[in-house]
């Protein structure tokens, strides 16, 4: 293996090969949980570092002339925010290929993690969203109840483990790979998940293990056998509790993983709708929509603010989730749950009769798309329908930023933006953006 211990010269060419070890001054944070450094004019995205540190890093990818990827193997000058990793199986003293993935910020103090996430969101909204920095001053990533006291541990109510097809060992994938790493602990998981986790077991006939600990039901294990896509028990109904409101959810269906996340997002959407009501911008009798609606959590939040007579249609491609939404919204006389792809549903609305389109123009749309975002096509459809308000729940800052640019160009204004630390010790965050039609 080649080694280079000389300090990087920013003016010199920087030929790099996989396996090279170089000293790097880490200057910034990038989307995706990696930090940014430069080596001879080339950008290097380096894992397991913190901006402000000097590290020795091993090059893992150097195919691009403009940038390379590396992983920290030694900290030469540590940040005051560096901590012992919360997950021993992901710590720096392990070989990079043997570090468990899923806690890429676990070596950083919680307040600094949130500052870095805020920087990523602000940068994305400027670079990809077209916002001015003045519009983003003071943006903070808000902590969930109890996380500061627990150091951000014990929050995950849903964990997926994988099984090594050769050894049968159970564990998470290694960071940035699909290599299974056997582990002795799951520090981000709730006690209910940890209690049933088959750590140390051999499960040679199983491909994956999903651990689910509902807030109002017993923990359970869902097994994917062989190369099958269906998990045993995934359609079993489980109960979740959000405040004093119960929700029926399929055991294998989508639900937020942080124990507090459903209530945090429920409250954030409820508060956004309440703000619209106070501003005289919300019409409870309009054709209000909850897109990518899942089990109806956010439609229920809209009703919490606007009252049980609110008209709202929740649209979800997964038929099981739609069934759950119908059950969860049954007491709302104006609620409907429809199984459909969002883009196809909106396409039908675009060709609807003028009275339907008018009700849509007076309506409010809540949407919680997948990590890739709503995307240009869906945002263009929304722009064509021109609802009065859009409440956008996003789990990826770059996807949100790109969709923001589309909505701003269509005549919407960003009336509010909040961010939440629903995934401590990872680079992920959740945002809630409020758009109003100008």
């Amino acid at each position: 293996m080649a080694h280079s211990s000389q300090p990087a010269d920013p003016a010199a060419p920087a030929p790099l090969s996989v396996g090279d070890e170089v000293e790097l001054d880490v200057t910034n944070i990038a989307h995706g949980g990696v930090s940014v450094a430069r080596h001879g004019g080339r950008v290097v995205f380096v894992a397991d570092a913190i901006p402000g540190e000097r590290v020795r890093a091993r090059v893992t990818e150097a195919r691009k002339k403009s940038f390379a990827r590396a992983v920290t193997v030694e900290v030469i000058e540590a940040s005051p925010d560096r901590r012992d990793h919360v997950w021993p199986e992901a710590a720096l003293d392990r070989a990079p290929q043997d570090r468990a993935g899923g806690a890429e910020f676990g070596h950083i103090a919680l307040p600094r993690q949130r500052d870095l996430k805020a920087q990523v969101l602000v940068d994305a909204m400027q670079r990809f969203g077209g916002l001015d920095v003045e519009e983003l001053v003071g943006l903070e990533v808000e902590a969930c109840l109890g996380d500061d006291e627990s150091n951000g541990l014990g929050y995950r109510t849903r964990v997926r483990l994988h099984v090594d097809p050769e050894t049968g060992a159970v564990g998470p994938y290694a960071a940035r790979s699909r290599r299974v790493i056997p582990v002795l602990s799951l520090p981000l998981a709730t006690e209910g998940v940890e209690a049933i986790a088959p750590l140390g077991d051999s499960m040679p006939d199983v491909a994956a293990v999903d651990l689910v600990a509902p807030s109002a039901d017993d923990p359970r294990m869902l097994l994917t056998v062989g190369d099958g896509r269906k998990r045993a028990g995934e359609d079993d109904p489980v109960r979740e509790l959000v405040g004093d409101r119960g929700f029926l959810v399929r055991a294998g269906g989508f639900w937020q993983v942080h124990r507090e996340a459903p209530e945090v997002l429920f409250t954030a959407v409820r508060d956004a709708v309440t703000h619209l009501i106070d501003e005289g911008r919300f019409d409870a009798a309009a054709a209000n929509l909850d897109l990518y609606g899942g089990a109806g959590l956010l439609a229920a939040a809209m009703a919490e603010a606007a009252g049980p007579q609110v008209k709202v249609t929740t649209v979800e491609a997964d038929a099981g989730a739609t069934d759950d939404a119908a059950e969860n919204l049954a007491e709302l006389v104006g609620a409907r749950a429809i199984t459909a792809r969002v883009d196809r549903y909106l396409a039908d609305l675009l060709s609807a009769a003028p009275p339907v389109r008018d009700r849509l123009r007076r309506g409010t749309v809540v949407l919680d798309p997948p990590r890739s975002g709503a995307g240009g096509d869906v945002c263009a459809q929304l722009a064509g329908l021109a609802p009065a308000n859009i409440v956008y729940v996003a789990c990826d800052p770059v996807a949100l930023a790109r969709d923001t640019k589309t909505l701003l160009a269509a005549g919407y204004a960003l009336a509010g933006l909040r961010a939440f630390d629903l995934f401590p010790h990872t680079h992920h965050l959740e945002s809630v953006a409020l758009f109003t039609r100008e």
Side-chain angles (χ1 to χ4, degrees), residues 2 35 47 49-50 57 74 87 113 144 150 194 204 245 272 280 319 331 404:
S35 296
I50 307 174
E74 180 187 358
W87 198 358
Q113 290 184 35
C144 286
S150 66
E194 278 226 287
R245 185 186 186 104
E331 80 279 11
T404 294

Side-chain angles (χ1 to χ4, degrees), residues 21 24 118 120 168 195 250 259 267 274 302 341 349 407 411 415 427:
E21 291 188 1
L24 300 171
V120 168
R250 307 295 162 113
R259 66 180 184 279
T267 302
T274 299
M302 182 186 289
R341 273 181 43 171
L349 292 181
L407 293 172
H427 72 277

Side-chain angles (χ1 to χ4, degrees), residues 75-384:
V75 178
I76 298 169
E77 296 176 14
S79 164
D81 297 307
R82 180 169 283 275
R83 300 289 184 269
D84 290 339
H85 204 292
V86 297
W87 198 358
E89 288 93 339
L92 205 65
D93 58 3
R94 281 197 161 204
Q97 66 272 19
D98 293 331
R99 295 174 194 169
E104 62 277 7
F105 276 6
H107 59 290
I108 308 174
L110 271 180
R112 184 70 185 281
Q113 290 184 35
R114 295 176 191 138
D115 288 345
L116 294 175
K117 294 178 187 186
Q119 288 178 36
V120 168
L121 178 57
V122 168
D123 180 67
M125 294 299 274
Q126 289 181 261
R127 291 174 57 202
F128 302 107
L131 295 177
D132 295 328
V133 65
E134 291 80 11
E135 300 176 77
L136 301 164
V137 170
L139 180 65
E140 297 180 351
V141 176
E142 302 173 39
C144 286
L145 181 68
D147 278 352
D148 285 333
E149 292 78 6
S150 66
N151 190 31
L153 303 179
Y155 68 85
R156 288 195 67 106
T157 64
R158 282 153 173 79
V159 170
R160 166 160 279 203
L161 301 175
H162 304 274
V163 180
D164 188 306
E166 296 182 0
T167 67
V170 180
Y173 283 141
R176 298 166 292 280
S177 109
R178 290 188 174 273
R179 182 166 172 260
V180 175
I181 302 298
V183 297
L184 299 176
S185 63
L186 297 172
L188 304 189
T190 63
E191 291 182 3
V193 166
E194 278 226 287
I196 63 170
L199 305 182
D201 291 355
S202 178
M203 306 180 76
D205 297 325
V206 174
V209 179
D210 286 284
L211 307 170
V212 180
S215 58
D217 221 322
D218 294 330
R220 60 203 61 211
M221 185 187 306
L222 312 179
L223 303 181
T224 303
V225 179
D227 58 359
R229 295 189 176 185
K230 192 168 182 66
R231 297 161 292 174
E234 67 177 26
D235 292 328
D236 293 349
V238 298
R239 290 285 174 179
E240 297 283 357
L241 198 60
V242 180
D244 57 359
R245 185 186 186 104
F247 285 84
L248 175 74
V249 185
R250 307 295 162 113
F254 175 77
W255 193 252
Q256 293 287 336
V257 301
H258 194 296
R259 66 180 184 279
E260 300 293 337
E263 185 157 3
V264 166
L265 295 179
F266 182 98
T267 302
V269 171
R270 182 201 66 196
D271 290 352
V273 174
T274 299
H275 171 76
L276 294 173
I277 294 170
D278 292 343
E279 294 290 313
R281 294 191 56 92
F282 186 87
D283 185 347
N288 302 297
L289 298 176
D290 173 25
L291 304 180
Y292 311 95
L297 174 71
L298 301 184
M302 182 186 289
E304 180 89 0
Q309 302 300 316
V310 67
K311 304 292 186 184
V312 59
T313 299
T314 181
V315 182
E316 167 61 52
D318 181 82
T322 305
D323 290 344
D324 294 343
E327 173 76 17
N328 295 327
L329 303 173
E331 80 279 11
L332 304 178
V333 296
R336 293 191 305 158
I338 292 178
T339 302
R341 273 181 43 171
V342 167
D343 57 344
R344 294 176 182 171
Y345 181 80
L346 295 180
D348 289 341
L349 292 181
L350 282 166
S351 61
V356 175
R357 295 284 300 276
D358 180 64
R359 290 185 63 239
L360 286 163
R361 286 182 61 83
R362 293 185 284 112
T364 295
V365 173
V366 175
L367 70 159
D368 183 9
R371 194 168 301 282
S372 55
D377 291 344
V378 167
C379 285
Q381 290 174 313
L382 288 173

